[in-house]
Each structure stands twice: as C-alpha cells, then as structure tokens.
Amino acid sequence: MRPANAIAALSIGGISIAIASGINYGPTKSEHSVEKDEISRPVDADCTNCNEDILTSLNPARFQSTPKADKEKSLPETTKNKEGEDDDEYEDDDDDNYYLPNGQCGLYLAPSTLPHAGLGVFSGSAIPFDHSVNEYVGGTFPGFDDDKHPPLWTDLFIPIADDYKALPYRGQQRFPSWLQYIWPKSPGALSDLTTTAFPDVPHELWDFDLGLNFADGIQFFADDFDDKRSKTMPYKPKESVNAFVPGLASLANSDSRLSNMDRIYANSRVDYNGQVAPWQPGAGAYTPHHGIEFSVSKKGGVYAGMELLLDYGPVWRAKNKQRLDWFSNRKNMDKQRNEKHERKGFVEGINKKWGRLDERESQDCPDDLPTENAKRDRLAQGMAADSSLLGDDEKPYSEYRTNDYHPQTKDAGDDNNVDKATVSLADDTGPHQIMKPLPWLNQNGICLSSGKLQIKASTIKFAGRGVFSTTHIGKGEVVLSSPLIAMRGEDFAIYKTYADERFLKNQIDKSAVVAVELLFNYAFSHPDSPLYLVPNAPLANFINHGGPFTSHKPKAEGANVEVRWPKAGSNAAKLFEWAYTQKQANRFDNDFETTIFNDPNPWLKDHPIDVMERSGKLALEYVALRDIHNDEEILLDYGQLWQDAWEEYSGRNTYGRSGYFRHSIGVPPGFFPDNWLHVSDRYEIAEIQDLVNNPLEPGAAVPMTWAHNGKPVASKYAYVVGLDNGFSERFLEYSEKKGVIELYRKLLREKEGYHLPSDGFDVYKPGALVNNTFGTDMAMEFFAHRYKSKDWNFNMHFVAAWDESARKDILRALGDAGFDLAVKGIGERFGYDNMTCFHASYMGVTHCDKSKMHSDIYATGDKSWNIIFPLITVEGSPPELDIMSEDMNTVIGVNYLKDVAFAMGDFGYHQTRPINYFTPDGEKGEDGSNDAADGFPIRVVFGVYCAQIDETNVAMIRHIYDGDDPAPFADQFETLPMREIHWNRDSGTCTLGKPGGMKVVL
C-alpha cells in the first residue's frame, strides 16, 4: 500500500533520517473522494492562448468545469489549427476509428518522431478535438456513458518541496538527469544554469538534456481543486509547485507547432481520500494530488498512431533556441564532425563539438592589438582594457600593431545561416510526420495502457487509491512496463535553508536535514546501494503493498505481481537498449530500426553513477505471479523493511506521529546486481586517489579518469602531470627567498600599502621585504593584481614578473627545480614539435565565498596548457580546485598534492572552490583554521602557461592576453618562430634553466 513508504530508512551524507516531511499539501477535511460524474471539460479548451502563463494570463474560465462536447459529433471536413493553417489532412469520417478496439493498446512508448527527442508516447486510437486523451488511451470504449464512466486512469503528481537540488548549492552536478522529468514551479527553479558559477558555453555543447527544466507550458498547484473548491466556481489555484508527474506530462515531448494535447486543470483534485493527519497514518504518506487529465487541443483531433505532444512554453523554447538550431542544422554539423581532426598527435576520440567553439572564439579575435609599450604605459596608470570588448571606434591604447595570422573566418553554410525562427524539431511539420503505423508500434513499442487496468479506491486500509484489473490477466503476463528515473539518496533530502543569504554556498545547511521528499516513498531501493529508481509510467505509482506472495490460488492474499528487468528479445528490452546505449548522450543519433540488439538491460553492468546519468533510459516490468481476476487489486511486495517500518509508524499513538511516513520500496533479492552494492555515489578522480601510494613518474602526463568507470573526465583538457621528487619544496624555497611569500602575507592581510581594491594592481619589489644580500634580487619587480571581487567576498591575488629580469629568474628557478621534465612530458604526450612557457604567475587566497568557472586558454588548436601546482596548502582543507567535466555538467573538487601538477588545456574550465581560512578582520575561518592572532593560513599555488606557438594559434594566444593581465609580455609573440623555445622534440633539449638561449633552427 502506498501509505507509502519508511521513516528511518534514509541515510544522507552520514546523517540517518528519522523524520518525515513537514511539507503539508493537504490533507482536506473531505471524507470521500471526488465523485466521478463531476469530472468534465473546461469552457475554453479551444482557446488560442492555452499555453500562456497559467498564473497570470489564462482566462479564469479555463479552471471551470462544463459539460463536454457531444462525442458523436463528426469532425469538420476542414478546420484551422492554432497557427491558422489547414488541417484537412486530419479529416477522417470513419467514426469507428475514434474508439479503441477491445484488446488493442491505447498508449505506446516508442522512438519519437522528433529528431534527437528520444522516446515518445503515441495514441493507439483516434481522438476527436476537445475530448479526453485519458479516456481514449485508457480504454474507454463505445457504449459507455461518459458522465458515469470517466477515464480508467488519470495521472498523479508528487510535489518536490526543495528548490536546492543541484549545483551551486549541493551535489556535484549542474543538472542531475532526473530533474529533466520535473515540471518546475517557474522556469529554472530547480537548476539555475545561467549563474556565473558556470561557464557560458553554447547549449549544444552540453552533453545533458534540459528536459522540463525551463518549461512553463503547464503548471501544478499545491492549492489544487478539491470537492469544496470545485463547487464554488470560479476558483483559480495560485500556489505553484515543482512537480514530478509520471505519465503523459512526463513522457510527452514538445513541439510548439505540432502540439496536440493540453491539460484539463479543473479535473484535478487534491485530497487524501478521506484521511486526515495525524488521525490516519496514510495521510501525508502518499500524494494527495490526482486526477491529472489531458484533452486534445488540436482542432483536427489526433489520429491513431500519432505522437502526443505538449508545448513546454515560450521560456523553454527561448532557453533551448541554440539547441533547436543545432538539431535543425544537424546535417551540416554531422559533416563537420566527420572531418579529420587536424591536431597533430592529439588523443584519438576527442569530441568534435569543440571545433564549433574554436570557431566562435576565433571570430572575437581582433584585427589589431596593443603594443607592449602602449599596454604597459596604460596599465601603469591603473587602467586596462580588453580590446575584444570595445567598439570599432574605441581605441584606448596609444599604439597598435596588426594581429598577424588572424584565424580564418567561418565557411559559408555554417550554423549562422540557420533560420533563427525555427521552433519545430520535425523535418516536415505536417501532422503525418509525427505518426507511426499501428503495426509498427505493436512490433517496436511497448504498451503503457491496454485497457486492462484502472484506478479506484484501494481495498488496503490507509492506502488511498490503487490499481485494479478490468479483465483476466494470466500468470506470467506483463501487467505494466515503466521507464525509470534514477536518483541518489541525497536527492530526497530537504536541508535547512537560508534563502536571504548573499552567498550561494551559505543558502543551505547540509548538516541539518529537516525533511525528506515525498518522492522517496515511490522509489525502489536496496539498503546496500546508493541507487534509487522511480517509475515514470501511468498507473505504476498507484500500485500498493500487499505483503509477500502466498499462493497461486485465485484471489490469494499477498502480492500478485513482482518486478523484473525486461526479458531479452522483448520489445521493452530492445527499446531501452537503444535508449540507454546512444553513442552521443542525449542526442539519440542512433537509428532505432538499424540497431543490432545484443545487450539487453545494459545498465546492469554499469556503476550506479552511470545509471544515475541516464534517467528515463532504463525500465522494469510488473509481471503477474498468478492469475489475476477481474476487479482484483494489483499488489506488490514492498519488502520486510518497509513492512516493519510501516507497522512501527502506524502503531504509534496518534500524537506520537511527529511527521509523515517515509520509506522507499524494497526490491526482490538479486534484483540489484552486485556491482550496484557497497559502492559510493560520489564522483572521484582515480589518478588523484592513487597518487599518494603510487606517485607518477616525473614528466608522466595521464588523463584524469573517473574512479567509478575509468573513463576520462575530459580527454581534451584535464590531465595530471608528475613532477620531480621534491620539486614543490625547491620552488617554495626559491619563492620564500625572493620575498614573494612575504609579499602574499602582506597582501592577504591587507597591510598598509598592500591593500588592493577589486581588480586593482600595483608593482612591488618583494626582495626588499626579506633579508637578501643580492642587489639584483632586491631590484626585481613583480606586479600584484587582485581578482575582481567587488560583489564577492574573495581575495585571490595574482603575483607575476613585471620586468624582464624577474621573468627570466622565474623560468630559471623552474628549470633548476625540475620543471623541464613536465614540459617535456606534455610535449611528447601530445606530439608537439616544441614548447614555450610564455607566462607564469603565483595565485594566493585565504577566503572565497564564490568564484567563477572559467577557462584561461582556448581555441589554440589544443596546443596550450595551464600547468598548476601547489606551494602552500592548509592541512585538512576540503577540496581546493573545481574542475568541470567535458559534458559541461559534473564538477569535481580536488585537493592539490605536492610534486603533482594539474594540466588544463583548451577550454579547461575550472575555479577556486569556496573556502574560508582567514579574513583580514581576524574572524576565525570555517575550515579548521586559526585567526590572525594565532596564525595565518594561506594557500599559494603556481601556474605556468606552456604551448606550441605557431602560425595557427599565435593570434589567439596574443588576443587572450591583450587586456586585463599585465603579463605575459606581448612582444614575445611579435615574430615567428618564437624567440624562446624551452623544449624541442628534434633535439630533445629542455632549456628553462637557460631562458632566452634556445632558438628554432630553420
């Protein structure tokens, strides 16, 4: 039964949850469920603005129930759709086709007719305009009186109470895959993908599906209709909520022009079927929201075999515009992807998508750049400018030179020529293009509704509603198939929040779990696995607990169905093998009909983390354990853990129930494979885990790989490089001797004369701050630049050479400490001809509430690297550096390690992880550090930019460093070949220890 599922069975981040959700979505005082003959149609179901914002724009009449149109009325020969175009192709005067023949499937799940859309839902019968989709696909047949026989089933929705489900607030992902199936209360409410905490890259480069995240075409309400409200018209609900709506609302795809289905708001209800908390333990244990019904919004009606489509709304279309353009121009893009990847010696298999970003960045490369003298003169006055951000007539510098080797402009026929008004994903926007023949659907799809099941009041005490058979179902028959969304335990936690906090990281307190999402009660789980699976099909989430299976005898007590994975060779096994094994995640480029099926249920071999990234692409089946007779309730065994928890909760004194019942559904023994058990759901980098006990050889450059599956974090740009034993200590000793570390102590404590404003800089002679007898050291100049922190509590300072003697001295110290081996290792690893280290700087910080995910180098032909290593770290510090995975979704935090460097290549997105070691006013840090009186914890790391600089990228490298940063020195790039080569493949020589010495021999 769904009084749904246990209170003390969820452990999140080591915290055992022994409370239930305090979010109250009812219960009502109603003592009975809604009368079936009250369900009817809205007045303006044919309105032309049915997909506008429900809260502000819809006619209130849309929330009113009125008698439905005469079902026997034939379709007009020619009608107009909402775009004003003829719909005479919908014409069908054969009334017999409007009804679902007994035994035929009413609702199919099959590959969508829309490109790259994955799976879609198809009607098994023709449905006239303004009629209930649920009635026809559910199995309502000719001869029924519609007022007395409403749909056999409608959908429910489960509110998602917590808005803080993704980064930057929690977890490791910008957008967990399960969120694509959640209707937000407002666009982007559950995942803010526009925050400056993440890179602003084109949407088509994201290897994850936004799903419903920015949808605003339909909304769901906490204060929905109940019996009392439905009789006091007009009534308009106002309290919008995030909602998981398994069934039509979750599975239907979107196309604004071809949408043919819309929600009937007035038919939904909110009640606990007469139960009231705390008097009845079922109240609050299952969702009170039910009766979610849809009608045909297309005036021409729906054909049998037609895909059912919603309109996700204008905000969704606007946010996904770049992705839609990518789909529309896919043939050109496919051609580009198949072109040879001309990056000499680079790793095979790199995603060609980055070529498009290379081209875009190249277009921002200006025709001229400031000279070294002009740049330094202006910077000396405290002013800087990025020439790429200036207008044609704006020339802030006094002297410019031509930007030789300017990147080539785009070829004709690129994506800029795409019709930007495109909003439809279909190749041919006629309605027949979104249809599949019924024989094809029977052969390739799975049936989600056959007319054999209906929903009504459960026979189980406190269970609310349940699923019942409408006919005989034989032993071993698949009763229902359902896609699954995949989640982790933390997703269900509702943390204590502080919405008014200025800094994002302070808005939730992950040490305080105040409640558990109701969705937890609908999830299948195993006590030894981090993976939770929630059914996403109609009817599935109404199936209640019946206890263990007892007998094959008719109508025996106990469960009469069990769950299993799709059987090899079945339609379900093929369909979800196709969905799960797409070569390009969330693109669905593989053709279904040409796929060779030989790997049923491939998710069973994957790590739970990989499964969590593929919500909606795996499925289970409910199978009859014995013969099930007409009007018998379908029951499942939720497991002994669930049973024990329910008995404990329901047996409490009425006033002893401090919250709602929470417990997940147990899976049968052996259902979860061994590789899903006793594993972590945290993303970790394998190389960093191993380096303590198995250090890298000096110069070895290996890709960062995920610990759970061995796949690269980002084959393009994320690598670990071994440094010589003792390297970090040797370079730290040099930095102390030159006074740089002492300079940091003054800068970060904001001592008089060393307090820089946001984006401010100054020039210092750090050698004069220490007891140094060498006059040359005391004379060397270093500039210090405070990162832009006007709106952030962030004190990152960069320190780098300001004069030539300091530049050469740093390079010489790097060579003496053994950095040559790292440069050589990277050059050999990627097949470069030579490498030049053209910029180097220190980075120091003590506190950071927020930083920006960014890339230091880009569009250089995969020939440049930012090589970062630590000098001073704080013992026991949490992760210090965030690295973005190549799918632009997962962020992994890492700690710096001595004698190990992280190498970030083109578009290597990373950021400083928020920390609080120390603040200048003496406040105690949050990360186990001391205040100013007791000590001064700081973190200082060093970054070296090295590249093969040639005619293909010199213009871009010079452009990247033409503004904000006083170094590197622009005159390094005035002529080719480069004046300084620090490693040469032909000679094998490394010369960092002798800067300015080696030159290329032509």
Side-chain angles (χ1 to χ4, degrees):
M1 63 190 182
R2 181 74 59 190
N5 303 325
I7 215 173
L10 176 61
S11 179
I12 301 172
I15 303 172
S16 181
I17 305 306
I19 58 177
S21 173
I23 308 301
N24 192 343
Y25 291 101
T28 70
K29 294 183 180 180
S30 170
E31 295 300 324
H32 61 279
S33 59
V34 59
E35 293 295 331
K36 295 178 178 178
D37 60 2
E38 293 177 3
I39 298 179
S40 52
R41 304 282 77 75
V43 161
D44 61 339
D46 60 342
C47 68
T48 57
N49 296 311
C50 285
N51 289 303
E52 294 182 7
D53 183 359
I54 294 161
L55 289 174
T56 59
S57 303
L58 284 181
N59 187 326
R62 195 171 182 209
F63 293 90
Q64 302 176 10
S65 293
T66 60
K68 189 175 73 174
D70 182 4
K71 191 171 184 177
E72 300 302 321
K73 183 178 180 180
S74 62
L75 295 175
E77 293 185 359
T78 303
T79 60
K80 298 288 183 179
N81 63 26
K82 63 183 177 183
E83 276 79 16
E85 299 181 353
D86 289 346
D87 273 339
D88 49 357
E89 58 266 288
Y90 279 105
E91 182 182 351
D92 190 341
D93 292 327
D94 185 357
D95 286 351
D96 291 339
N97 288 339
Y98 295 155
Y99 305 105
L100 176 65
N102 193 11
Q104 180 178 311
C105 181
L107 183 68
Y108 294 92
L109 185 70
S112 175
T113 58
L114 303 182
H116 308 279
L119 301 174
V121 286
F122 296 77
S123 175
S125 65
I127 312 173
F129 166 64
D130 197 24
H131 283 237
S132 169
V133 171
N134 298 74
E135 287 186 5
Y136 282 80
V137 302
T140 301
F141 307 118
F144 281 123
D145 183 328
D146 293 337
D147 290 335
K148 295 183 179 179
H149 296 278
L152 293 180
W153 58 264
T154 54
D155 292 321
L156 54 76
F157 84 74
I158 303 165
I160 305 298
D162 180 19
D163 290 344
Y164 303 88
K165 293 299 186 187
L167 285 172
Y169 309 103
R170 70 199 285 178
Q172 295 177 287
Q173 289 187 305
R174 301 169 66 194
F175 194 70
S177 72
W178 68 276
L179 288 183
Q180 66 185 282
Y181 293 96
I182 307 299
W183 282 90
K185 63 184 178 183
S186 60
L190 286 169
S191 187
D192 182 5
L193 297 172
T194 62
T195 174
T196 55
F198 303 115
D200 182 18
V201 296
H203 288 190
E204 64 268 27
L205 299 183
W206 300 356
D207 288 335
F208 58 94
D209 189 351
L210 286 174
L212 298 168
N213 186 53
F214 288 110
D216 61 339
I218 299 176
Q219 287 184 316
F220 298 88
F221 302 93
D223 57 337
D224 215 334
F225 294 91
D226 59 20
D227 289 345
K228 183 178 180 180
R229 292 167 181 161
S230 67
K231 295 176 182 177
T232 57
M233 296 298 182
Y235 173 74
K236 185 176 179 181
K238 298 178 180 179
E239 189 179 343
S240 182
V241 294
N242 305 309
F244 173 55
V245 196
L248 292 173
S250 184
L251 297 175
N253 292 310
S254 175
D255 188 289
S256 62
R257 191 169 177 274
L258 297 174
S259 62
N260 50 29
M261 183 173 65
D262 205 353
R263 186 182 168 196
I264 307 171
Y265 286 88
N267 288 1
S268 58
R269 292 293 183 269
V270 53
D271 63 72
Y272 283 110
N273 202 26
Q275 298 186 60
V276 180
W279 309 107
Q280 288 85 27
Y286 57 87
T287 179
H289 299 279
H290 62 103
I292 308 303
E293 188 176 355
F294 294 84
S295 65
V296 172
S297 59
K298 201 77 169 178
K299 287 187 176 180
V302 166
Y303 270 8
M306 181 173 285
E307 184 168 3
L308 298 172
L309 299 173
L310 293 168
D311 183 356
Y312 290 173
V315 176
W316 183 89
R317 294 196 300 273
K319 291 292 185 181
N320 287 274
K321 191 172 188 302
Q322 288 178 305
R323 189 172 176 86
L324 297 178
D325 290 343
W326 167 268
F327 291 157
S328 299
N329 201 36
R330 63 192 180 282
K331 292 182 180 179
N332 287 343
M333 296 303 101
D334 287 342
K335 181 179 179 181
Q336 291 179 17
R337 287 197 299 268
N338 291 330
E339 291 175 355
K340 184 178 179 181
H341 189 54
E342 297 179 355
R343 282 157 171 76
K344 182 177 179 181
F346 208 80
V347 292
E348 293 297 326
I350 190 170
N351 197 322
K352 307 298 191 298
K353 69 180 183 179
W354 296 97
R356 301 191 68 226
L357 202 52
D358 282 340
E359 294 174 355
R360 294 188 182 196
E361 293 293 347
S362 296
Q363 303 316 299
D364 291 332
C365 191
D367 294 327
D368 54 17
L369 295 168
T371 63
E372 177 72 17
N373 290 333
K375 177 181 171 184
R376 291 171 72 86
D377 286 345
R378 187 171 181 84
L379 288 171
Q381 302 174 37
M383 296 181 290
D386 184 344
S387 61
S388 67
L389 302 178
L390 300 176
D392 294 336
D393 298 328
E394 295 181 90
K395 297 290 185 181
Y397 296 105
S398 60
E399 184 180 35
Y400 285 80
R401 64 177 291 267
T402 302
N403 190 0
D404 298 326
Y405 305 104
H406 193 285
Q408 295 292 318
T409 58
K410 276 188 176 179
D411 295 331
D414 66 12
D415 61 304
N416 285 331
N417 293 326
V418 175
D419 180 6
K420 299 302 180 184
T422 299
V423 296
S424 177
L425 297 183
D427 290 325
D428 182 336
T429 54
H432 289 289
Q433 298 301 317
I434 58 170
M435 292 180 62
K436 293 286 188 182
L438 289 182
W440 189 93
L441 290 171
N442 284 319
Q443 183 176 357
N444 298 286
I446 61 173
C447 186
L448 297 180
S449 177
S450 62
K452 293 184 177 183
L453 302 175
Q454 66 174 324
I455 296 170
K456 57 182 182 178
S458 175
T459 60
I460 307 295
K461 189 177 182 180
F462 303 129
R465 297 163 188 83
V467 179
F468 291 77
S469 61
T470 61
T471 186
H472 179 270
I473 298 174
K475 176 185 175 182
E477 185 176 340
V478 175
V479 176
L480 181 65
S481 299
S482 178
L484 300 167
I485 66 170
M487 304 174 67
R488 49 177 42 86
E490 187 187 28
D491 295 330
F492 300 101
I494 302 175
Y495 295 114
K496 188 174 182 179
T497 60
Y498 304 91
D500 295 334
E501 281 286 340
R502 177 183 179 189
F503 301 110
L504 299 180
K505 81 179 187 73
N506 296 331
Q507 290 184 3
I508 67 169
D509 180 1
K510 293 184 68 176
S511 68
V513 180
V514 298
V516 178
E517 296 284 2
L518 176 59
L519 186 61
F520 186 60
N521 286 8
Y522 294 84
F524 287 94
S525 72
H526 187 289
D528 296 325
S529 176
L531 180 64
Y532 292 78
L533 301 173
V534 181
N536 194 23
L539 298 153
N541 290 290
F542 286 98
I543 297 176
N544 289 312
H545 171 63
F549 172 74
T550 59
S551 172
H552 291 284
K553 293 180 180 180
K555 298 188 177 181
E557 292 186 357
N560 51 26
V561 298
E562 66 176 352
V563 291
R564 75 175 187 195
W565 299 115
K567 190 176 181 179
S570 67
N571 282 10
K574 294 177 181 178
L575 186 66
F576 286 95
E577 179 184 343
W578 172 78
Y580 191 87
T581 58
Q582 291 292 311
K583 290 182 179 179
Q584 296 216 5
N586 298 302
R587 297 284 177 87
F588 291 95
D589 293 321
N590 301 2
D591 181 65
F592 177 78
E593 296 186 64
T594 60
T595 298
I596 298 175
F597 298 103
N598 54 17
D599 187 19
N601 307 325
W603 50 86
L604 297 179
K605 296 182 293 187
D606 277 353
H607 191 282
I609 291 177
D610 295 321
V611 180
M612 292 170 189
E613 294 177 347
R614 291 172 171 81
S615 285
K617 299 178 182 179
L618 65 159
L620 56 67
E621 298 175 333
Y622 298 81
V623 180
L625 289 168
R626 57 170 173 79
D627 286 351
I628 300 174
H629 293 269
N630 181 35
D631 204 32
E632 188 175 349
E633 185 166 5
I634 307 300
L635 298 173
L636 181 71
D637 182 7
Y638 286 8
Q640 191 61 47
L641 289 176
W642 187 95
Q643 180 67 40
D644 293 344
W646 171 250
E647 290 178 356
E648 189 278 331
Y649 178 80
S650 61
R652 293 179 191 173
N653 178 279
T654 299
Y655 294 101
R657 301 185 192 120
S658 59
Y660 299 138
F661 178 70
R662 292 292 180 268
H663 201 291
S664 58
I665 304 170
V667 294
F671 188 71
F672 274 24
D674 290 344
N675 52 293
W676 288 6
L677 309 179
H678 307 289
V679 292
S680 171
D681 63 357
R682 297 286 299 174
Y683 289 90
E684 301 289 349
I685 296 178
E687 287 69 28
I688 295 176
Q689 287 184 332
D690 295 339
L691 288 180
V692 174
N693 298 320
N694 300 291
L696 288 173
E697 290 292 325
V702 298
M704 296 182 187
T705 57
W706 296 122
H708 65 276
N709 62 15
K711 296 179 180 179
V713 174
S715 61
K716 180 181 178 68
Y717 57 71
Y719 286 76
V720 180
V721 182
L723 301 177
D724 195 22
N725 185 33
F727 169 84
S728 295
E729 290 295 336
R730 291 192 290 273
F731 197 74
L732 173 60
E733 182 181 354
Y734 161 82
S735 304
E736 290 272 16
K737 180 180 178 181
K738 300 298 179 179
V740 175
I741 303 303
E742 181 61 27
L743 174 61
Y744 264 114
R745 294 189 178 101
K746 295 182 179 297
L747 290 169
L748 296 178
R749 297 178 74 172
E750 300 181 4
K751 295 297 184 181
E752 185 177 354
Y754 298 88
H755 184 186
L756 298 178
S758 173
D759 204 25
F761 67 92
D762 205 342
V763 177
Y764 301 95
K765 296 180 179 181
L769 301 177
V770 294
N771 294 323
N772 197 321
T773 57
F774 296 102
T776 54
D777 290 348
M778 298 179 66
M780 285 192 301
E781 293 184 326
F782 288 76
F783 80 89
H785 176 206
R786 181 168 186 165
Y787 192 75
K788 300 175 183 177
S789 56
K790 182 178 180 180
D791 299 322
W792 304 345
N793 187 12
F794 183 31
N795 72 338
M796 173 75 77
H797 286 68
F798 300 90
V799 171
W802 179 249
D803 59 25
E804 183 68 5
S805 63
R807 182 187 77 85
K808 289 185 176 182
D809 198 68
I810 287 177
L811 291 179
R812 188 177 298 109
L814 285 169
D816 292 343
F819 196 71
D820 282 331
L821 293 176
V823 178
K824 177 183 178 182
I826 291 176
E828 291 179 343
R829 172 67 175 80
F830 298 109
Y832 300 144
D833 295 325
N834 54 69
M835 292 195 76
T836 296
C837 295
F838 58 89
H839 177 45
S841 65
Y842 296 86
M843 292 158 279
V845 65
T846 67
H847 58 271
C848 168
D849 284 293
K850 175 183 174 184
S851 63
K852 182 178 181 179
M853 189 68 73
H854 67 286
S855 173
D856 294 304
I857 48 179
Y858 44 86
T860 68
D862 294 324
K863 298 175 184 177
S864 300
W865 295 89
N866 178 12
I867 309 168
I868 311 167
F869 57 85
L871 295 177
I872 301 175
T873 58
V874 177
E875 186 176 357
S877 173
E880 298 153 318
L881 179 70
D882 281 338
I883 297 172
M884 178 77 76
S885 65
E886 197 166 343
D887 63 3
M888 294 288 103
N889 191 30
T890 304
V891 176
I892 180 71
V894 297
N895 287 96
Y896 291 106
L897 298 173
K898 288 187 177 181
D899 300 336
V900 173
F902 299 139
M904 309 300 296
D906 276 10
F907 302 105
Y909 287 104
H910 61 284
Q911 69 177 4
T912 296
R913 173 69 71 94
I915 52 93
N916 186 15
Y917 301 140
F918 163 83
T919 53
D921 57 8
E923 291 181 0
K924 195 168 184 178
E926 297 174 353
D927 300 323
S929 56
N930 299 318
D931 62 17
D934 300 324
F936 181 52
I938 64 174
R939 182 171 75 223
V940 180
V941 300
F942 195 85
V944 188
Y945 296 81
C946 302
Q948 175 175 312
I949 304 174
D950 54 34
E951 65 277 1
T952 67
N953 62 16
V954 63
M956 278 304 301
I957 292 176
R958 202 163 184 270
H959 159 56
I960 292 169
Y961 289 99
D962 72 351
D964 297 337
D965 196 341
F969 305 101
D971 61 5
Q972 291 184 93
F973 313 112
E974 285 186 351
T975 59
L976 288 177
M978 293 291 290
R979 296 199 307 268
E980 293 184 17
I981 300 294
H982 300 131
W983 170 79
N984 184 280
R985 167 181 289 278
D986 292 338
S987 65
T989 305
C990 299
T991 61
L992 277 173
K994 300 178 181 179
M998 182 188 298
K999 296 183 180 179
V1000 173
V1001 179
L1002 299 178

